[in-house]
Amino acid sequence: MSVLLDEEIRSQPDVLAGLIAQEGARVRRIVADLPPFAYALIAARGTSDHAATYAKYAWAALTGHPVALATPALHTLYHTPPRLDEALVVGISQSGQSPDIVAVVEEGKRQGRPTLAITNDGSSPLAAAADHVIELHAGVERSVAATKTYTAQLATIALLAAAWHGQPERWTELERMPDVLSAVLGGVDDLAQQAERYRYMEHCVLIGRGYNYATALELALKLKELTYVMASAYSSADFRHGPIATIADGMPVLLIMPQGAVFSDMLQLAQDLQMQGAELLVASDVAEAQALATTVLPLPPAVPEWLSPIAAIVPGQVLAMNLARAKGVDPDRPRGLQKVTRTV
Amino acid sequence: MSVLLDEEIRSQPDVLAGLIAQEGARVRRIVADLPPFAYALIAARGTSDHAATYAKYAWAALTGHPVALATPALHTLYHTPPRLDEALVVGISQSGQSPDIVAVVEEGKRQGRPTLAITNDGSSPLAAAADHVIELHAGVERSVAATKTYTAQLATIALLAAAWHGQPERWTELERMPDVLSAVLGGVDDLAQQAERYRYMEHCVLIGRGYNYATALELALKLKELTYVMASAYSSADFRHGPIATIADGMPVLLIMPQGAVFSDMLQLAQDLQMQGAELLVASDVAEAQALATTVLPLPPAVPEWLSPIAAIVPGQVLAMNLARAKGVDPDRPRGLQKVTRTV
């Protein structure tokens, strides 16, 4: 069994509690200090980019702020950075090392815009480049595949959303999430056995929508990194606009569908896919959805939808780790990857 | 042989010439009439979303306008549309029918923002919702997989970029593209035979960066729609942040790498992938890149990089069509798809 990755997955309730305790007040101060802005521009890669995708929903839905994802090549390779008038410029990076992400934040500062770094390393180049820094306090992440820093990034984005939103209830909901994660981790023991079924799976599809589109993207990346499965992630709407043609008999499709505003759209798609012969894996707290599944990734009930991605990724992390084990891959050391990736 | 798709692919030089002739003056008028805006928010799905991805590079690099991709679920399922202060709101849709895309443009209008529709149907709901409409003039697209409307959408975005940019040289470069497409189509005859090699390919990876990240995304969708291959598209930078772990001996990787500012970054990745045993397919005009490839998708030389996606997708369309034929699939009627997809 992978020791490091397993430890890091299981540390997530504590990491989350520590983050909220240590950074909560700072987040409120940053939000109070920021000048007005029309939209947020976020630069991020890999797992951090999936946290940015969560921000597209959480920040817009709770606070009305639209989010644009940056195109770092414009800064580093084309040398034609866009005009950033009216933007809050945000960089998200576990290591804070990737030059392309740092370049976007530096450009924001050069243009006189407010800048914010979200990173696990407060002494990194990214932290040095930004006006404001929120640290993840996740401890050193020793396994190559990011787990605890991903949920910590999501929680940081949720802290900012709650502070902008202003209602104490949102903050209270977030403070319950460490307990929710403990509950999730208490319900995943069957996944070690269930992963066996997918020993020879070579490709699969992951689908989420709204807040949990980020979960589909992140779980696809975990499967690629840890098991080398060709995993493709889609929103349910994008999936209907073309990729649905790839569904064949027995094709494994994992749907992230906790209770919430997008549930009925996801349920309709799940039913359609079952009719087409797909094998469904379902991450949900809803019995009607679980009943369609060959494999259930259980989620706890009554989690507010806006926070559900923090919980919904965790059974997927556990499934990916166990599938790596079933396939004979060392999940702590995926081939071809280092912990810190520097791209320009 | 598929008659409709083949006809539509071969019609692209004429469609492009017709579009520039019929909409050029209108595009200049729209650009002159638009009020100032800080960024563009684009709503699109499927192929149209890949055209929007091209706009992220073309509009920013030539005109400094940042581009955000909309999250329609915020409008249709969550009922929490973001504040669109300072935005130009753009909808791109071949049919102009999808309710989620229309909803974003309607919200832009409701908030008093300028709105623009890019569509092949000037009498569609999307066209009715927008202040300004640019029609693609591509004629009815009868094959389910979009080809001529994609290059027409790219050309429309390029027309807008050229008009904003103001230099007549950009416009002249664009007016040469119909001839460039004719040259591309004159060089693809070998692909019918070369497609045979991939008859039993089940998955593949597509990589582009900068302007041609859109090409990688669009070609992956063509392969999914036409051949049911599990095709995954990445930017070269995102690929290094995790998915590179999936590369195994013999894995087919198609790189879009015409001459330009991102070429050396792509070449480095191509060399790394060849060392790892991947089989390379290369769309390029550069001999050094072609020399690494098992299969070359030839591109004409001396196309300005900002317009290269209009040319670079075409050999891919031809390869996907021929691979469908080799696999015994009717490329005009992919399973599970209709020509018009309506999502909420």
Side-chain angles (χ1 to χ4, degrees), chain B residues 138-159:
Chain B
V140 175
E141 193 165 52
R142 290 175 298 164
S143 189
V144 167
T147 52
K148 61 182 182 176
T149 57
Y150 175 65
T151 46
Q153 287 169 345
L154 295 181
T156 303
I157 288 161
L159 279 169

Side-chain angles (χ1 to χ4, degrees), chain A residues 78 209 224 234 305 344, chain B residues 78 209 224 234 305 344:
Chain A
Y78 291 109
R209 192 158 184 204
K224 282 183 268 204
Y234 305 96
E305 188 181 4
V344 293
Chain B
Y78 291 110
R209 193 161 183 205
K224 283 183 267 205
Y234 304 96
E305 188 182 4
V344 293

Side-chain angles (χ1 to χ4, degrees), chain B residues 87-104:
Chain B
L88 166 67
V89 180
V90 182
I92 308 179
S93 169
Q94 184 279 130
S95 71
Q97 299 289 339
S98 198
D100 46 358
I101 305 308
V102 177
V104 175

Side-chain angles (χ1 to χ4, degrees), chain B residues 198-249:
Chain B
Y198 304 99
R199 164 65 179 88
Y200 289 99
M201 178 172 79
E202 293 188 355
H203 45 245
C204 68
V205 168
L206 296 102
I207 304 177
R209 193 161 183 205
Y211 289 112
N212 281 294
Y213 178 39
T215 311
L217 291 166
E218 173 61 8
L219 184 46
L221 183 57
K222 288 311 99 166
L223 286 166
K224 283 183 267 205
E225 290 177 324
L226 294 172
T227 73
Y228 314 146
V229 165
M230 298 294 287
S232 301
Y234 304 96
S235 89
S236 53
D238 287 325
F239 192 66
R240 290 184 188 278
H241 282 263
I244 197 168
T246 60
I247 291 300
D249 217 37

Side-chain angles (χ1 to χ4, degrees), chain A residues 120-334:
Chain A
N120 202 28
D121 182 354
S123 63
S124 61
L126 180 63
D131 301 328
H132 303 281
V133 180
I134 304 173
E135 288 188 58
L136 301 176
H137 299 283
V140 175
E141 194 165 52
R142 290 175 298 164
S143 188
V144 168
T147 53
K148 61 182 181 175
T149 56
Y150 174 65
T151 46
Q153 287 169 346
L154 295 182
T156 304
I157 288 161
L159 279 169
L160 284 158
W164 270 314
H165 186 262
Q167 293 279 348
E169 198 184 330
R170 295 291 90 74
W171 204 273
T172 310
E173 287 169 345
L174 182 50
E175 285 174 333
R176 280 190 213 115
M177 290 308 290
D179 288 344
V180 169
L181 286 200
S182 296
V184 174
L185 287 164
V188 296
D189 289 347
D190 291 349
L191 289 173
Q193 176 56 40
Q194 288 170 311
E196 292 282 317
R197 180 176 176 89
Y198 304 99
R199 165 65 179 89
Y200 290 99
M201 177 173 78
E202 294 188 355
H203 45 243
C204 69
V205 167
L206 296 101
I207 304 178
R209 192 158 184 204
Y211 289 111
N212 281 294
Y213 178 40
T215 311
L217 291 166
E218 173 61 7
L219 184 46
L221 182 57
K222 288 312 98 165
L223 287 166
K224 282 183 268 204
E225 289 176 325
L226 294 172
T227 74
Y228 314 146
V229 165
M230 297 294 288
S232 300
Y234 305 96
S235 89
S236 53
D238 286 327
F239 192 65
R240 291 185 186 278
H241 282 264
I244 197 168
T246 59
I247 293 300
D249 216 38
M251 171 84 79
V253 181
L254 197 158
L255 300 122
I256 323 287
M257 46 191 300
Q259 204 166 353
V262 301
F263 178 79
S264 62
D265 180 66
M266 290 291 297
L267 185 65
Q268 180 65 55
L269 180 62
Q271 289 163 341
D272 291 352
L273 291 173
Q274 201 189 42
M275 293 252 294
Q276 289 176 47
E279 166 156 345
L280 302 189
L281 301 85
V282 169
S284 186
D285 55 321
V286 183
E288 192 180 3
Q290 293 180 347
L292 295 168
T294 301
T295 298
V296 173
L297 289 78
L299 299 179
V303 176
E305 188 181 4
W306 77 283
L307 294 170
S308 64
I310 299 173
I313 188 62
V314 175
Q317 293 169 341
V318 174
L319 179 69
M321 179 180 67
N322 282 295
L323 184 55
R325 192 188 181 195
K327 284 176 173 271
V329 176
D330 178 354
D332 285 332
R333 292 169 202 83

Side-chain angles (χ1 to χ4, degrees), chain B residues 24-38:
Chain B
R26 188 199 313 270
V27 168
R28 291 185 204 257
R29 268 201 314 276
I30 291 172
V31 164
D33 287 351
L34 282 175
F37 57 94

